[in-house]
Amino acid sequence: LAARTADGSFHPLFHGSALGGQGVAELVEGLVTLVPAAAQGTAGATEPRGTVFAVRPEPTGERTAYLRLYDGEVRPRRRLTFLRRESDGR
């Protein structure tokens, strides 16, 4: 399955409930075992570029941002700049 997923001839499908957490462990296991690792060598060469799709508060008062990364790499303790897109596209 991993080889067929890597060459694009097979597309695994997972289902569950984000609200209750059912299926999350299976999804993570599938990502780790079926999706090939990103090519090394260019990571960190460009600034991270992505979209924040959720921000969740923690009991400690901190907030966790979940993002879809399109380019670059995010490492622990790296300071990021978040820009808000205006309604006119700027």
Side-chain angles (χ1 to χ4, degrees), residues 9 15 19 21-22 38 45 51 54 66 72 74 85:
S9 63
H15 64 280
L19 194 57
Q22 293 87 359
T51 301
Y66 296 87
V74 177
R85 181 172 288 170

Side-chain angles (χ1 to χ4, degrees), residues 1-37:
L1 288 178
R4 292 191 61 201
T5 301
D7 72 12
S9 63
F10 179 77
H11 303 283
L13 177 69
F14 294 90
H15 64 280
S17 171
L19 194 57
Q22 293 87 359
V24 173
E26 291 82 0
L27 172 63
V28 170
E29 178 68 22
L31 288 173
V32 170
T33 59
L34 298 175
V35 177

Side-chain angles (χ1 to χ4, degrees), residues 63-81:
R63 294 180 293 172
T64 300
Y66 296 87
L67 57 107
R68 163 63 164 97
L69 204 58
Y70 298 109
D71 199 10
E73 181 179 16
V74 177
R75 295 191 170 264
R77 302 281 182 206
R78 179 170 182 175
R79 187 173 292 267
L80 300 174
T81 301

